[in-house]
Amino acid sequence: MNTELIINSTPTQVEIAILEDNKLVEIHRQKANENFSVGDIFLGRVTKTVSGLNAAFVNIGHEKEAFLHYSDLGPKLASLKKYVKQSLAGARTNPMLNDFRIEPDIIKTGKITDVLKRGEPILVQILKEPISTKGPRLTSEITIPGRYMVLTLFNSNITVSRKISNQEERKRLHLLIESIKPRNFGVIIRTAAEGKKAADLHDEMSMLINKWKKIHSQLKNARPPIKLLSELDKPISLLRDILTDSFNRIVVNDKALYASIKAFMEHRVNEKADIVKLYRGKKPIFEAFGINRQIKAAFGKTATMKSGAYIVIESTEAMHVIDVNSGPKMAKKDQAEAVLAVNLEAAKEIARQLRLRDIGGLIVIDFIDMRDPQHRKTLYQKMIEYMKNDRAQHTILTLSKFGLMQITRQRTRPAVNIDTTEMCPVCKGTGKVNSTTLLIDDIERDIEYLMNSRPADKYTLQVHPFVHAYIKKGIPSIQMKWYMKYNRWIKVTPNPEFHVLQYQFFDKHNDAIRMN
């Protein structure tokens, strides 16, 4: 699988598109004035504790108070509070934990009022960005992430990613990290560390420790709320988390951002530094790589697939509901196999849509009913396979007796919502229609259906004169490409009475062909 990162930088925001085998699977946007990102570390102040929620609200400088639940405090809260208190007072001048006495863990079933008081300062990290009317969600279990490892505080645990399956490599990494990590710091070894040299891991350990030293230096006489450590820019943080051997190209249209990414790659993944390219084309970068077209095709209430089947996505505060429909062109022969094929195609598209829109929380999918237990099992196993590249934590349940599949997916930021509708060229603004850029795709989908269902017929396609000119222009023209693909000439004629998005197929008797 080939993976590409296409980055569009403008004065107001940075847009990042991830393509897998030329198909858009993720889109990220970061505004230039965005100040709150997952992973940022703050010194906040507790504004109130709520016994009923067993949670506290913390002022970190956001317009809405951030939420800190007891379950997100972490067992080492007492040690963290003591360290912060000593550092604020200037009593702790050494940022390292060699001489620090670790306090007993707080109990898992405790009450928020027993461990936090109104007005006290607390070191916190953003767990989830502000969503809808809610402020950020926090944790006081501080972690400092790198590409190969994640540094944790006030413990000596070393955890190796489960995705590293080779036992000898797991043992090597464990022993290596144990020999270089400072006392009372824990480490989570990430999948990217597999096969890396000791020097690479040692350099990253030093970098993470330096970040902790920077946090400590800012704590002395600090007055909350204050940001102590900011996550990297979105492109860099994404690269740190997702860069794998499957990446074959990173293209960016901004010189400064290009230099930043190039420097990051040379420092951290030098062998892949040459995959970073500066885009110099005249077209907008997203237009040149076909990303705008894919965005228009993928977003919206309905997403149509190659077979003509489609899914309908509805979202509420409580959950997201996805309905799978076969469309009018499902094969009539062997109904059970046809239903399975549509459901599998829909499952693959749904897995892509969840990543693309970053849909989190509870998702309920209404697949087309299947009676065969083996087909139901196949669909469940395929959904697991399709979602294996999804970095968000998720759980997939088997189909219920009503044919519903339930998925829970980690939510860390608001879902991506892009309006892909355009003003109707017929009603001049009184309504909306699907994007005009998808018209040729719709026509081709209908041609494919006609070729499969009525291969012996001759066809005439009537379209608006503007569309007729577009189909006929160029060498080879779209009409000629259809001929080369289907080995059948499709006559195209203009009809000035049609509106721009209207088209109609006719058979050899000049009878209109109904496609629905």
Side-chain angles (χ1 to χ4, degrees):
M1 180 175 65
N2 290 328
T3 308
E4 296 174 294
L5 204 67
I6 312 299
I7 304 171
N8 177 34
S9 179
T10 69
T12 57
Q13 69 175 358
V14 176
E15 296 177 294
I16 307 156
I18 300 176
L19 305 180
E20 291 180 356
D21 293 332
N22 295 319
K23 196 153 190 177
L24 181 67
V25 294
E26 289 185 35
I27 186 85
H28 299 264
R29 290 178 169 177
Q30 183 183 39
K31 293 181 180 178
N33 60 351
E34 219 167 59
N35 294 320
F36 297 90
S37 299
V38 172
D40 287 356
I41 297 175
F42 290 80
L43 179 67
R45 187 178 296 281
V46 178
T47 56
K48 59 184 172 183
T49 57
V50 182
S51 300
L53 298 175
N54 203 22
F57 287 91
V58 181
N59 178 15
I60 61 169
H62 191 265
E63 59 183 350
K64 292 191 176 292
E65 292 176 333
F67 182 79
L68 177 61
H69 192 268
Y70 187 92
S71 60
D72 294 320
L73 293 175
K76 302 298 181 181
L77 178 68
S79 298
L80 179 69
K81 287 175 61 179
K82 185 173 90 170
Y83 185 93
V84 169
K85 185 178 180 180
Q86 291 176 352
S87 299
L88 286 172
R92 168 157 287 277
T93 56
N94 180 13
M96 305 307 287
L97 305 176
N98 298 344
D99 60 342
F100 186 82
R101 187 172 64 85
I102 305 296
E103 297 296 316
D105 293 358
I106 63 171
I107 59 175
K108 290 184 179 180
T109 55
K111 296 180 179 180
I112 196 76
T113 51
D114 293 337
V115 292
L116 290 180
K117 304 298 180 186
R118 179 180 178 181
E120 73 173 301
I122 183 169
L123 196 65
V124 289
Q125 191 167 23
I126 293 186
L127 197 61
K128 294 181 181 180
E129 291 181 8
I131 297 175
S132 185
T133 59
K134 303 172 184 176
R137 180 156 184 170
L138 306 176
T139 177
S140 56
E141 201 163 7
I142 307 298
T143 58
I144 304 176
R147 171 159 168 70
Y148 305 129
M149 67 190 82
V150 178
L151 195 67
T152 62
L153 311 175
F154 309 114
N155 67 75
S156 298
N157 301 331
I158 299 174
T159 308
V160 183
S161 168
R162 288 180 294 179
K163 293 183 179 179
I164 301 177
S165 55
N166 186 292
Q167 291 302 316
E168 287 298 317
E169 177 63 7
R170 292 176 67 88
K171 185 177 179 181
R172 181 188 79 91
L173 290 171
H174 193 284
L175 291 172
L176 180 57
I177 295 300
E178 192 171 34
S179 67
I180 63 175
K181 79 172 188 66
R183 187 167 179 262
N184 288 333
F185 284 93
V187 175
I188 301 168
I189 303 172
R190 308 180 80 165
T191 311
E194 187 172 10
K196 296 303 175 185
K197 298 177 182 178
D200 295 331
L201 300 177
H202 187 274
D203 287 347
E204 180 157 287
M205 176 69 74
S206 300
M207 183 266 293
L208 297 179
I209 291 297
N210 285 335
K211 286 188 176 183
W212 174 246
K213 290 178 178 179
K214 181 180 177 182
I215 291 173
H216 173 267
S217 67
Q218 295 178 86
L219 276 175
K220 185 177 180 181
N221 299 323
R223 300 184 63 180
I226 181 175
K227 182 188 288 191
L228 301 176
L229 184 69
S230 181
E231 257 291 4
L232 301 166
D233 287 341
K234 196 76 171 181
I236 304 294
S237 62
L238 260 180
L239 273 176
R240 182 196 64 199
D241 292 339
I242 68 174
L243 189 64
T244 63
D245 291 337
S246 67
F247 267 83
N248 65 323
R249 186 161 57 163
I250 300 169
V251 188
V252 59
N253 66 343
D254 179 80
K255 288 184 178 180
L257 190 53
Y258 164 78
S260 176
I261 293 173
K262 187 82 171 177
F264 171 83
M265 296 291 285
E266 289 173 348
H267 177 65
R268 308 289 286 279
V269 203
N270 187 48
E271 66 274 12
K272 295 185 77 70
D274 59 347
I275 70 173
V276 185
K277 309 292 182 185
L278 178 63
Y279 177 73
R280 301 178 184 274
K282 293 181 179 180
K283 284 185 178 180
I285 187 169
F286 272 18
E287 190 73 35
F289 285 87
I291 294 169
N292 284 340
R293 172 178 286 272
Q294 292 198 53
I295 288 173
K296 288 180 178 292
F299 284 88
K301 182 179 177 180
T302 302
T304 304
M305 294 163 281
K306 189 175 182 181
S307 68
Y310 61 96
I311 59 175
V312 181
I313 303 172
E314 297 275 8
S315 298
T316 69
E317 281 287 324
M319 68 176 71
H320 305 270
V321 182
I322 302 175
D323 185 37
V324 178
N325 295 281
S326 62
K329 305 166 192 171
M330 189 173 76
K332 302 300 181 186
K333 296 179 181 179
D334 200 346
Q335 191 76 9
E337 291 293 334
V339 167
L340 175 61
V342 169
N343 279 340
L344 291 177
E345 185 183 23
K348 190 172 186 178
E349 179 63 20
I350 289 167
R352 171 178 172 250
Q353 289 283 343
L354 296 184
R355 287 179 67 188
L356 187 56
R357 301 179 186 226
D358 206 6
I359 294 174
L362 177 62
I363 301 123
V364 178
I365 307 168
D366 183 12
F367 285 103
I368 303 171
D369 290 341
M370 296 184 297
R371 297 182 181 275
D372 189 331
Q374 186 57 44
H375 287 180
R376 296 162 69 93
K377 183 178 180 182
T378 299
L379 177 61
Y380 170 67
Q381 291 172 338
K382 282 292 186 180
M383 180 57 86
I384 293 174
E385 179 186 330
Y386 294 147
M387 292 192 66
K388 68 180 180 181
N389 290 331
D390 194 335
R391 291 177 292 116
Q393 295 180 12
H394 57 270
T395 302
I396 305 171
L397 301 184
T398 55
L399 287 167
S400 72
K401 64 180 180 179
F402 298 117
L404 303 177
M405 179 180 286
Q406 298 175 69
I407 299 175
T408 58
R409 186 175 182 274
Q410 180 187 24
R411 183 192 326 209
T412 59
R413 64 188 178 110
V416 179
N417 185 23
I418 300 175
D419 185 6
T420 60
T421 55
E422 296 179 354
M423 299 308 293
C424 176
V426 179
C427 63
K428 303 299 181 184
T430 60
K432 288 188 176 182
V433 295
N434 284 336
S435 170
T436 55
T437 60
L438 303 179
L439 177 62
I440 300 300
D441 293 347
D442 291 339
I443 293 174
E444 284 191 14
R445 195 178 293 119
D446 286 347
I447 292 174
E448 186 133 8
Y449 170 68
L450 290 173
M451 293 301 171
N452 291 330
S453 61
R454 304 167 64 169
D457 283 0
K458 294 182 179 179
Y459 301 106
T460 299
L461 170 65
Q462 284 191 13
V463 293
H464 186 276
F466 289 171
V467 180
H468 174 264
Y470 179 77
I471 291 174
K472 303 281 282 187
K473 76 172 184 178
I475 301 176
S477 65
I478 292 175
Q479 186 182 26
M480 184 62 71
K481 289 178 182 177
W482 290 343
Y483 175 77
M484 290 186 287
K485 182 176 181 180
Y486 301 108
N487 199 27
R488 182 71 54 81
W489 184 257
I490 298 169
K491 185 179 179 181
V492 184
T493 60
N495 188 334
E497 294 182 5
F498 280 13
H499 64 71
V500 175
L501 301 182
Q502 187 177 356
Y503 64 92
Q504 179 67 61
F505 284 95
F506 295 85
D507 61 18
K508 60 184 177 182
H509 303 296
N510 206 31
D511 292 328
I513 301 173
R514 296 189 62 180
M515 303 300 295
N516 296 319

PDB file of all heavy atoms in Angstrom, residues 264-279:
ATOM      1  N   PHE A 264      12.647  17.883  10.004  1.00  0.00           N
ATOM      2  CA  PHE A 264      12.150  16.827  10.899  1.00  0.00           C
ATOM      3  C   PHE A 264      12.526  15.456  10.345  1.00  0.00           C
ATOM      4  O   PHE A 264      13.008  14.589  11.078  1.00  0.00           O
ATOM      5  CB  PHE A 264      10.628  16.945  11.038  1.00  0.00           C
ATOM      6  CG  PHE A 264       9.993  15.781  11.754  1.00  0.00           C
ATOM      7  CD1 PHE A 264       9.966  15.726  13.134  1.00  0.00           C
ATOM      8  CD2 PHE A 264       9.428  14.738  11.035  1.00  0.00           C
ATOM      9  CE1 PHE A 264       9.382  14.643  13.789  1.00  0.00           C
ATOM     10  CE2 PHE A 264       8.848  13.660  11.675  1.00  0.00           C
ATOM     11  CZ  PHE A 264       8.829  13.621  13.054  1.00  0.00           C
ATOM     12  N   MET A 265      12.310  15.261   9.045  1.00  0.00           N
ATOM     13  CA  MET A 265      12.610  13.966   8.441  1.00  0.00           C
ATOM     14  C   MET A 265      14.103  13.665   8.468  1.00  0.00           C
ATOM     15  O   MET A 265      14.523  12.534   8.746  1.00  0.00           O
ATOM     16  CB  MET A 265      12.086  13.953   7.001  1.00  0.00           C
ATOM     17  CG  MET A 265      10.582  14.078   6.871  1.00  0.00           C
ATOM     18  SD  MET A 265       9.692  12.636   7.460  1.00  0.00           S
ATOM     19  CE  MET A 265       9.997  11.493   6.120  1.00  0.00           C
ATOM     20  N   GLU A 266      14.918  14.669   8.197  1.00  0.00           N
ATOM     21  CA  GLU A 266      16.379  14.455   8.198  1.00  0.00           C
ATOM     22  C   GLU A 266      16.886  14.115   9.583  1.00  0.00           C
ATOM     23  O   GLU A 266      17.832  13.332   9.737  1.00  0.00           O
ATOM     24  CB  GLU A 266      17.085  15.696   7.645  1.00  0.00           C
ATOM     25  CG  GLU A 266      16.893  15.884   6.142  1.00  0.00           C
ATOM     26  CD  GLU A 266      17.459  17.197   5.641  1.00  0.00           C
ATOM     27  OE1 GLU A 266      17.784  18.054   6.501  1.00  0.00           O
ATOM     28  OE2 GLU A 266      17.570  17.375   4.413  1.00  0.00           O
ATOM     29  N   HIS A 267      16.256  14.714  10.590  1.00  0.00           N
ATOM     30  CA  HIS A 267      16.691  14.475  11.964  1.00  0.00           C
ATOM     31  C   HIS A 267      16.181  13.151  12.512  1.00  0.00           C
ATOM     32  O   HIS A 267      16.892  12.445  13.219  1.00  0.00           O
ATOM     33  CB  HIS A 267      16.224  15.620  12.860  1.00  0.00           C
ATOM     34  CG  HIS A 267      16.568  15.437  14.308  1.00  0.00           C
ATOM     35  ND1 HIS A 267      17.874  15.412  14.760  1.00  0.00           N
ATOM     36  CD2 HIS A 267      15.769  15.257  15.403  1.00  0.00           C
ATOM     37  CE1 HIS A 267      17.876  15.232  16.071  1.00  0.00           C
ATOM     38  NE2 HIS A 267      16.612  15.128  16.482  1.00  0.00           N
ATOM     39  N   ARG A 268      14.916  12.798  12.141  1.00  0.00           N
ATOM     40  CA  ARG A 268      14.278  11.634  12.765  1.00  0.00           C
ATOM     41  C   ARG A 268      14.224  10.399  11.858  1.00  0.00           C
ATOM     42  O   ARG A 268      14.299   9.280  12.348  1.00  0.00           O
ATOM     43  CB  ARG A 268      12.851  12.004  13.185  1.00  0.00           C
ATOM     44  CG  ARG A 268      12.781  13.268  14.029  1.00  0.00           C
ATOM     45  CD  ARG A 268      13.362  13.037  15.420  1.00  0.00           C
ATOM     46  NE  ARG A 268      12.476  12.247  16.237  1.00  0.00           N
ATOM     47  CZ  ARG A 268      11.410  12.737  16.881  1.00  0.00           C
ATOM     48  NH1 ARG A 268      11.123  14.026  16.780  1.00  0.00           N
ATOM     49  NH2 ARG A 268      10.650  11.960  17.626  1.00  0.00           N
ATOM     50  N   VAL A 269      14.019  10.607  10.554  1.00  0.00           N
ATOM     51  CA  VAL A 269      13.904   9.466   9.630  1.00  0.00           C
ATOM     52  C   VAL A 269      14.709   9.800   8.378  1.00  0.00           C
ATOM     53  O   VAL A 269      14.167   9.937   7.292  1.00  0.00           O
ATOM     54  CB  VAL A 269      12.428   9.190   9.256  1.00  0.00           C
ATOM     55  CG1 VAL A 269      12.252   7.747   8.807  1.00  0.00           C
ATOM     56  CG2 VAL A 269      11.481   9.510  10.384  1.00  0.00           C
ATOM     57  N   ASN A 270      16.006   9.893   8.529  1.00  0.00           N
ATOM     58  CA  ASN A 270      16.859  10.428   7.463  1.00  0.00           C
ATOM     59  C   ASN A 270      16.758   9.634   6.161  1.00  0.00           C
ATOM     60  O   ASN A 270      16.843  10.195   5.072  1.00  0.00           O
ATOM     61  CB  ASN A 270      18.318  10.458   7.932  1.00  0.00           C
ATOM     62  CG  ASN A 270      19.215  11.169   6.933  1.00  0.00           C
ATOM     63  OD1 ASN A 270      18.893  12.259   6.482  1.00  0.00           O
ATOM     64  ND2 ASN A 270      20.321  10.533   6.569  1.00  0.00           N
ATOM     65  N   GLU A 271      16.542   8.310   6.280  1.00  0.00           N
ATOM     66  CA  GLU A 271      16.504   7.484   5.073  1.00  0.00           C
ATOM     67  C   GLU A 271      15.283   7.775   4.192  1.00  0.00           C
ATOM     68  O   GLU A 271      15.241   7.393   3.022  1.00  0.00           O
ATOM     69  CB  GLU A 271      16.527   5.987   5.436  1.00  0.00           C
ATOM     70  CG  GLU A 271      15.297   5.469   6.180  1.00  0.00           C
ATOM     71  CD  GLU A 271      15.378   5.670   7.689  1.00  0.00           C
ATOM     72  OE1 GLU A 271      16.276   6.408   8.135  1.00  0.00           O
ATOM     73  OE2 GLU A 271      14.549   5.096   8.400  1.00  0.00           O
ATOM     74  N   LYS A 272      14.281   8.481   4.742  1.00  0.00           N
ATOM     75  CA  LYS A 272      13.087   8.799   3.952  1.00  0.00           C
ATOM     76  C   LYS A 272      12.956  10.306   3.712  1.00  0.00           C
ATOM     77  O   LYS A 272      11.905  10.770   3.268  1.00  0.00           O
ATOM     78  CB  LYS A 272      11.826   8.281   4.655  1.00  0.00           C
ATOM     79  CG  LYS A 272      11.772   6.758   4.759  1.00  0.00           C
ATOM     80  CD  LYS A 272      10.463   6.277   5.340  1.00  0.00           C
ATOM     81  CE  LYS A 272       9.332   6.331   4.337  1.00  0.00           C
ATOM     82  NZ  LYS A 272       9.457   5.336   3.259  1.00  0.00           N
ATOM     83  N   ALA A 273      14.007  11.057   3.966  1.00  0.00           N
ATOM     84  CA  ALA A 273      13.928  12.521   3.822  1.00  0.00           C
ATOM     85  C   ALA A 273      13.662  12.948   2.385  1.00  0.00           C
ATOM     86  O   ALA A 273      13.061  13.993   2.141  1.00  0.00           O
ATOM     87  CB  ALA A 273      15.225  13.166   4.330  1.00  0.00           C
ATOM     88  N   ASP A 274      14.084  12.123   1.416  1.00  0.00           N
ATOM     89  CA  ASP A 274      13.921  12.531   0.019  1.00  0.00           C
ATOM     90  C   ASP A 274      12.490  12.390  -0.491  1.00  0.00           C
ATOM     91  O   ASP A 274      12.199  12.765  -1.631  1.00  0.00           O
ATOM     92  CB  ASP A 274      14.875  11.739  -0.876  1.00  0.00           C
ATOM     93  CG  ASP A 274      14.653  10.234  -0.803  1.00  0.00           C
ATOM     94  OD1 ASP A 274      13.931   9.798   0.111  1.00  0.00           O
ATOM     95  OD2 ASP A 274      15.186   9.497  -1.660  1.00  0.00           O
ATOM     96  N   ILE A 275      11.580  11.831   0.299  1.00  0.00           N
ATOM     97  CA  ILE A 275      10.186  11.720  -0.158  1.00  0.00           C
ATOM     98  C   ILE A 275       9.434  13.043   0.020  1.00  0.00           C
ATOM     99  O   ILE A 275       8.316  13.190  -0.459  1.00  0.00           O
ATOM    100  CB  ILE A 275       9.422  10.589   0.570  1.00  0.00           C
ATOM    101  CG1 ILE A 275       9.170  10.933   2.043  1.00  0.00           C
ATOM    102  CG2 ILE A 275      10.143   9.258   0.434  1.00  0.00           C
ATOM    103  CD1 ILE A 275       8.279   9.928   2.756  1.00  0.00           C
ATOM    104  N   VAL A 276      10.044  14.009   0.703  1.00  0.00           N
ATOM    105  CA  VAL A 276       9.405  15.318   0.913  1.00  0.00           C
ATOM    106  C   VAL A 276       9.638  16.184  -0.324  1.00  0.00           C
ATOM    107  O   VAL A 276      10.783  16.398  -0.748  1.00  0.00           O
ATOM    108  CB  VAL A 276       9.962  16.025   2.165  1.00  0.00           C
ATOM    109  CG1 VAL A 276       9.199  17.319   2.421  1.00  0.00           C
ATOM    110  CG2 VAL A 276       9.888  15.114   3.377  1.00  0.00           C
ATOM    111  N   LYS A 277       8.554  16.663  -0.930  1.00  0.00           N
ATOM    112  CA  LYS A 277       8.644  17.452  -2.141  1.00  0.00           C
ATOM    113  C   LYS A 277       7.912  18.787  -1.958  1.00  0.00           C
ATOM    114  O   LYS A 277       6.890  18.856  -1.283  1.00  0.00           O
ATOM    115  CB  LYS A 277       8.012  16.709  -3.330  1.00  0.00           C
ATOM    116  CG  LYS A 277       8.509  15.278  -3.524  1.00  0.00           C
ATOM    117  CD  LYS A 277       9.963  15.230  -3.952  1.00  0.00           C
ATOM    118  CE  LYS A 277      10.420  13.790  -4.197  1.00  0.00           C
ATOM    119  NZ  LYS A 277      11.872  13.723  -4.489  1.00  0.00           N
ATOM    120  N   LEU A 278       8.453  19.819  -2.575  1.00  0.00           N
ATOM    121  CA  LEU A 278       7.804  21.134  -2.583  1.00  0.00           C
ATOM    122  C   LEU A 278       6.979  21.253  -3.860  1.00  0.00           C
ATOM    123  O   LEU A 278       7.506  21.093  -4.972  1.00  0.00           O
ATOM    124  CB  LEU A 278       8.846  22.248  -2.518  1.00  0.00           C
ATOM    125  CG  LEU A 278       8.292  23.685  -2.572  1.00  0.00           C
ATOM    126  CD1 LEU A 278       7.402  23.964  -1.375  1.00  0.00           C
ATOM    127  CD2 LEU A 278       9.441  24.686  -2.634  1.00  0.00           C
ATOM    128  N   TYR A 279       5.703  21.529  -3.726  1.00  0.00           N
ATOM    129  CA  TYR A 279       4.816  21.639  -4.889  1.00  0.00           C
ATOM    130  C   TYR A 279       4.974  23.023  -5.528  1.00  0.00           C
ATOM    131  O   TYR A 279       4.871  24.043  -4.860  1.00  0.00           O
ATOM    132  CB  TYR A 279       3.366  21.417  -4.452  1.00  0.00           C
ATOM    133  CG  TYR A 279       2.357  21.572  -5.573  1.00  0.00           C
ATOM    134  CD1 TYR A 279       2.245  20.601  -6.559  1.00  0.00           C
ATOM    135  CD2 TYR A 279       1.534  22.697  -5.640  1.00  0.00           C
ATOM    136  CE1 TYR A 279       1.333  20.731  -7.596  1.00  0.00           C
ATOM    137  CE2 TYR A 279       0.613  22.842  -6.668  1.00  0.00           C
ATOM    138  CZ  TYR A 279       0.523  21.856  -7.652  1.00  0.00           C
ATOM    139  OH  TYR A 279      -0.381  21.999  -8.660  1.00  0.00           O
TER     140      TYR A 279
END
